[in-house]
Amino acid sequence: MEFTSEHLTKAKTRSDLKKIAKKNNIPIEKTLRKLSYEAELRELQSELVSLQKWVADKNMRVAVIFEGRDAAGKGGSIKRFNEHLNPRTARVVALNKPTNEEQGQWYFRRYIKVLPNPGEIVFFDRSWYNRAVVEPVMGFCTEDQYKKFIVQVPEYEHLLYEDNVKIIKFWFSISKEEQKKRFDSRLNNPLKRWKFSPVDMKGQGLWDEYTHYKEQMFSKTHTNYSPWVIVKTNSKKQARLESMRYVLSQFDYDGKGQSKVTLLPDPNVIMGYHRSAVQIDI
């Protein structure tokens, strides 16, 4: 059982809340953590609304990339980022597999078409980095295509940087054990079963291959103008809040900090990539 709105309106103090919880056999600490999370989420989302208005006023172009293993929480985080933003100047990009025509084009072309326009924030639920990890692991690209991509992507991102496109690259890092738990949860929940794909099914068995290509990607595409930011995501809620804080911390927008919520990301959850960084999905 959980607290209802009726319970909460009756509680005037923390002591009242504890009494109601005890009477109704409600786990108080879990509920308080949930309420704290929801309150902080609302404040951070209000800051994102201020950021969006500033980006639109300044005609900036912002791309936030969410990469990581399957079930790492990318989609859930993007949903919270985008939940209260104006759809006119914020959108989510989650491309399907390329068509036959697109397969014959320069790899980056399909992504160039969906980059942010002036005044826009675009959230990429996976990006051109499909070719860095998923495609070589699953055999969806040739070795030559992979090598060409790895050489070209820093140059591609440098061109975007020179053209004043702000790119934030998140890698959502999840442990093998937590990924397995989330896969099992999806399979056992009829409302979430659609999220589980044949590619997911192979993910656990190919864990080491994913790790190899992930490390290759970091070492070859982490640059000072387009760095990788690692987010520990074994706690979904923590990852959502801290990734929001990181994005907000990157801009000096009008009205910044009016919510009074801290905008400095927790360095134990969010960290810039470096070879000595302790990661959980290795």
Side-chain angles (χ1 to χ4, degrees), residues 36-278:
S36 174
Y37 159 74
E38 290 176 349
E40 198 164 13
L41 177 64
R42 281 195 300 273
E43 298 297 343
L44 289 169
Q45 287 175 329
S46 74
E47 292 281 339
L48 285 168
V49 171
S50 297
L51 171 63
Q52 182 187 31
K53 183 179 184 305
W54 181 78
V55 167
D57 290 344
K58 298 291 185 182
N59 268 341
M60 294 183 66
R61 291 171 288 164
V62 179
V64 187
I65 291 172
F66 292 79
E67 291 288 346
R69 297 179 193 262
D70 296 310
K74 301 179 292 298
S77 290
I78 292 171
K79 179 181 177 182
R80 273 68 180 188
F81 265 89
N82 199 44
E83 196 167 14
H84 298 292
L85 298 184
N86 185 340
R88 292 178 180 175
T89 55
R91 55 189 166 90
V92 177
V93 170
L95 297 184
N96 290 318
K97 66 180 184 179
T99 62
N100 289 337
E101 184 179 41
E102 287 172 331
Q103 287 175 5
Q105 297 171 349
W106 183 43
Y107 178 75
F108 293 99
R109 180 176 172 182
R110 67 198 299 253
Y111 293 102
I112 289 172
K113 291 188 291 187
V114 292
L115 285 170
N117 297 310
E120 267 193 331
I121 302 174
V122 174
F123 303 100
F124 282 86
D125 188 350
R126 296 200 181 276
S127 67
W128 47 89
Y129 281 102
N130 269 335
R131 180 142 293 180
V133 182
V134 175
E135 289 191 14
V137 169
M138 303 304 297
F140 295 158
C141 70
T142 67
E143 187 175 353
D144 284 345
Q145 287 173 327
Y146 167 75
K147 288 179 177 178
K148 185 180 290 186
F149 168 84
I150 287 295
V151 169
Q152 289 183 349
V153 70
E155 299 177 32
Y156 166 69
E157 290 178 352
H158 192 260
L159 288 171
L160 296 178
Y161 167 77
E162 287 185 325
D163 206 46
N164 297 318
V165 178
K166 173 69 174 177
I167 300 177
I168 295 173
K169 300 190 303 194
F170 283 131
W171 177 269
F172 273 34
S173 182
I174 186 174
S175 68
K176 189 175 185 179
E177 294 72 25
E178 180 63 22
Q179 186 192 53
K180 177 69 163 56
K181 281 171 57 179
R182 292 182 189 178
F183 281 168
D184 290 344
S185 174
R186 288 178 179 182
L187 284 170
N188 293 325
N189 186 337
L191 298 179
K192 293 184 177 181
R193 204 169 291 152
W194 64 270
K195 292 184 176 183
F196 195 78
S197 70
V199 172
D200 294 336
M201 206 172 295
K202 295 179 180 178
Q204 285 262 303
L206 296 170
W207 184 271
D208 291 341
E209 286 83 351
Y210 271 94
T211 299
H212 167 75
Y213 280 102
K214 177 199 72 170
E215 291 300 324
Q216 290 294 311
M217 177 187 73
F218 286 155
S219 67
K220 292 178 170 63
T221 66
H222 176 79
T223 59
N224 60 352
Y225 54 85
S226 187
W228 278 103
V229 179
I230 296 170
V231 185
K232 293 183 178 179
T233 64
N234 274 6
S235 167
K236 288 182 182 179
K237 292 177 180 177
Q238 190 180 51
R240 291 166 190 166
L241 298 180
E242 298 306 324
S243 55
M244 283 183 182
R245 269 191 257 274
Y246 180 84
V247 169
L248 293 165
S249 73
Q250 298 301 295
F251 303 92
D252 292 319
Y253 54 91
D254 296 337
K256 185 173 183 176
Q258 286 184 353
S259 69
K260 305 301 182 184
V261 70
T262 180
L263 302 179
L264 296 174
D266 184 344
N268 295 307
V269 179
I270 298 263
M271 62 196 74
Y273 168 75
H274 53 91
R275 285 186 176 83
S276 62
V278 177

